[in-house]
Amino acid sequence: MSTAPRRAVPRRAVPRRAAPRRTAARSRPALLLPVLLAAAALALPVGCAAPGELRDHGAVAPVTPSPARVPLWPSAPTAPSPTPLEPTGSRSPEPAPQPVPDLAVPGQDVTAVDVRALVTKDPGVTQDERRVLEPCPGCELRAPEYRDLTGDGRPELLLAVVLADTVVLHVYTASADRLLPIHRVTLLKEFGAETVGTDLWLYEPTGSFRTGRLYRWDGVRLALADQKVEGIGPTPEPEPTPSAAEKPTVERPPGTGPTATSGGGTGVGPVKPSTPSRPSGAPPSAGAGSDAAVGKQPQPQPNPARPAAPSATPTAVPLPETKP
């Protein structure tokens, strides 16, 4: 057997497949990295700041002062400016209200209070107001109203004493078993009043305006909290009654006015129509033949009641006929 070595057959080189390019995919994280780093840098001081740490937010905006009133033509005479309402704390302290003596409120029920006894015993009610307890012309003690004005859930007593020209309003509240006066005001007789929640509004007409005042509980009494003026239009005036000299006279046409009658009274006499004109050449009528023959104008028949009214148009006079 032959032991000759075999020739190695060379292998064919297989070309390798080119790997896909990843340049675009690798460049995207590179672009997002600066953005993420910037966001982390902004969030780091906020998240890591200690509570109460002093920070600098930049320059403060300048504060603009409120504009002041600058009058025009200050030397010219003008009406005085309205006095603004003073805050409650700046007013001089008033004495605290004292309970009405010798008047008890059992169970803090103000609806059981005798208003006539209240008018008699309250030192804040004047002698002029106490006249409503007696026969007094123009005076009246209105029925009391009950509204919660202090916010404690219990009603207060509102009493209106009507005098000849004014009205005095009293407001009372129950304190323990006593009655405490918390408001008194004098109003015009045409005043209006209403409550909005625990607020008391009083209105007074002054010409073509209406003044509204708001009273509110301040813990001690009803204090003035607001005031407004509203226009209600001009007040209507009564129409004047025309006098006898100003009454218009009615002119009547001739022949239609009142005339004297035979009975001594007045009446409207009949109007006699005018005599119609007769055309030339026509024979005279039977009643006026003799007058036409001699050339006389026919005479109207006399009316015993009144003379005939003249005609508005001139009447033609017939001429006498001439015979050949």
Side-chain angles (χ1 to χ4, degrees):
M1 292 179 61
S2 160
T3 58
R6 294 181 179 180
R7 288 182 66 180
V9 180
R11 295 182 177 180
R12 296 178 60 182
V14 179
R16 293 184 176 182
R17 184 176 298 177
R21 297 182 180 182
R22 299 181 180 179
T23 307
R26 292 178 180 177
S27 61
R28 290 177 182 174
L31 295 176
L32 295 176
L33 184 59
V35 178
L36 296 176
L37 292 176
L42 293 176
L44 183 61
V46 178
C48 300
E53 183 180 354
L54 183 63
R55 301 185 182 88
D56 186 7
H57 294 281
V60 180
V63 179
T64 304
S66 301
R69 294 184 178 182
V70 181
L72 298 173
W73 304 286
S75 59
T78 57
S81 302
T83 304
L85 295 176
E86 299 179 0
T88 306
S90 63
R91 299 176 184 175
S92 58
E94 299 180 6
Q98 299 299 321
V100 179
D102 302 330
L103 189 64
V105 185
Q108 297 185 352
D109 184 12
V110 296
T111 60
V113 175
D114 184 5
V115 294
R116 298 181 68 87
L118 175 59
V119 172
T120 304
K121 297 181 180 181
D122 184 9
V125 178
T126 62
Q127 293 294 335
D128 194 19
E129 295 177 58
R130 291 193 177 100
R131 294 170 53 194
V132 297
L133 303 177
E134 303 172 357
C136 171
C139 303
E140 178 189 1
L141 182 61
R142 292 186 181 178
E145 293 280 353
Y146 304 97
R147 305 290 174 88
D148 182 13
L149 301 178
T150 59
D152 58 355
R154 295 192 302 267
E156 273 64 50
L157 169 62
L158 292 90
L159 189 63
V161 180
V162 181
L163 302 178
D165 300 325
T166 58
V167 178
V168 183
L169 178 65
H170 298 267
V171 184
Y172 302 89
T173 186
S175 177
D177 58 345
R178 308 294 297 274
L179 198 63
L180 199 66
I182 59 175
H183 188 61
R184 181 185 183 276
V185 62
T186 304
L187 304 166
L188 297 177
K189 206 165 186 178
E190 298 82 10
F191 84 102
E194 64 181 0
T195 57
V196 182
T198 58
D199 295 342
L200 174 63
W201 279 97
L202 301 178
Y203 303 98
E204 290 183 285
T206 54
S208 59
F209 297 94
R210 185 180 72 163
T211 303
R213 294 181 178 88
L214 169 63
Y215 293 90
R216 186 171 294 164
W217 174 250
D218 63 356
V220 179
R221 59 176 59 84
L222 291 180
L224 182 63
D226 194 9
Q227 178 176 340
K228 63 180 181 179
V229 179
E230 301 173 333
I232 58 178
T235 304
E237 299 181 357
E239 298 181 358
T241 304
S243 59
E246 298 177 356
K247 290 183 179 180
T249 57
V250 180
E251 296 183 358
R252 300 177 182 272
T256 59
T259 56
T261 59
S262 58
T266 58
V268 179
V271 179
K272 186 176 181 181
S274 59
T275 305
S277 58
R278 183 170 54 88
S280 177
S285 59
S290 59
D291 292 338
V294 295
K296 294 182 180 181
Q297 184 179 359
Q299 299 295 330
Q301 298 293 331
N303 188 359
R306 53 156 298 171
S311 175
T313 57
T315 305
V317 179
L319 299 176
E321 296 181 1
T322 57
K323 294 182 180 180

